[in-house]
Amino acid sequence: MTPSIPHHALLVTSSLSGEAGTSSALARDYLDRLATRGPDLRITHRDLAGDPPPHLDAETFAAFGTSPDERSAVQRERVAWSDAAIAELRAADLVVVAAPMYNFGVPSALKAWMDHVARAGITFRYTDRGPQGLLTGRRAVVVSTRGGRYAGTAADSQTPFIETFLGFLGLGPIEFVHAEGLAMGEDHAAAALESAQRDLERLAA
Ligand SMILES: Cc1cc2nc3c(=O)[nH]c(=O)nc-3n(C[C@H](O)[C@H](O)[C@H](O)COP(=O)(O)O)c2cc1C
């Protein structure tokens, strides 16, 4: 089934190279392709490398667990970043995550974002049948760039992690586009980028 044209995309980038990062550029290419299908597409950009979220600490986690009317001024400040990031997710019907592989995982700023948007009772809840995501009705596309090649092997620490995380919040379907072997010579890199572009074209069609 062809997915419906999204109205509001949230672009989450995390490359240290900002807009020049390969993951950021591929994600932008995807959104540009989508915009040709739905010119009214609205895009909200959350640049996690340029404006990194604070690491989740004990005080912030305690503030998450305190009801809003009982929070101190300091606690209100502590939850503000998280509330803003969750509002961006809620407003979107498509979430595009640009995730380079750094040291065999996701960039630490992307992990910190995850720590701020996973909130019990707000973006997921526990039930007697296990956790239930509360951000349903949103598709996700993850653009993952790597110097080496790992997709489909046990060394791919990113794909199952990101898929599990976004699914835990209720997002779906979740599609991955990998550009791999970007540090394995020009030929490998060119072929990987071409293949990623083809995948993005297919997803945007
Ligand atoms: C700090 C850092 C750590 C990296 N660690 C890995 C790694 O563990 N595995 C890998 O295959 N590539 C690694 N790379 C290469 C990047 O994944 C690759 O250059 C990717 O294209 C970066 O995407 P970006 O341009 O969007 O930042 C690393 C690059 C940097 C800057």
Side-chain angles (χ1 to χ4, degrees):
M1 192 180 78
T2 309
S4 57
I5 298 172
H7 299 288
H8 190 165
L10 172 64
L11 168 63
V12 180
T13 57
S14 54
S15 171
L16 294 175
S17 307
E19 294 283 323
T22 310
S23 56
S24 315
L26 286 170
R28 277 279 176 201
D29 285 350
Y30 171 62
L31 290 170
D32 288 347
R33 287 172 207 272
L34 274 183
T36 63
R37 287 186 63 216
D40 296 330
L41 177 69
R42 191 169 153 207
I43 298 171
T44 298
H45 182 193
R46 174 60 74 170
D47 172 10
L48 297 173
D51 183 15
H55 278 289
L56 183 60
D57 58 14
E59 287 80 9
T60 307
F61 190 65
F64 288 171
T66 306
S67 84
D69 47 344
E70 283 172 17
R71 281 182 197 135
S72 66
V74 173
Q75 285 186 316
R76 282 200 293 276
E77 213 175 288
R78 292 276 184 165
V79 296
W81 202 99
S82 164
D83 284 348
I86 290 171
E88 288 170 355
L89 275 170
R90 282 217 179 102
D93 53 2
L94 169 70
V95 179
V96 179
V97 179
M101 181 179 279
Y102 290 160
N103 298 315
F104 302 98
V106 298
S108 55
L110 180 56
K111 177 61 169 65
W113 175 82
M114 293 169 158
D115 290 339
H116 282 270
V117 299
R119 296 254 307 266
I122 295 181
T123 55
F124 71 93
R125 69 175 162 224
Y126 294 110
T127 75
D128 55 5
R129 288 191 295 164
Q132 180 188 22
L134 300 176
L135 296 178
T136 51
R138 291 158 183 82
R139 288 199 292 133
V141 171
V142 182
V143 180
S144 162
T145 51
R146 292 105 182 257
R149 298 173 78 163
Y150 314 91
T153 76
D156 185 354
S157 56
Q158 280 188 323
T159 306
F161 169 57
I162 297 174
E163 189 167 31
T164 300
F165 180 80
L166 296 177
F168 175 75
L169 300 185
L171 276 76
I174 304 164
E175 307 268 9
F176 280 81
V177 171
H178 295 111
E180 294 203 295
L182 297 175
M184 294 172 64
E186 277 178 27
D187 289 351
H188 270 293
L193 291 174
E194 239 174 72
S195 154
Q197 292 284 6
R198 273 198 304 274
D199 289 346
L200 293 171
E201 176 69 45
R202 179 181 50 79
L203 283 181

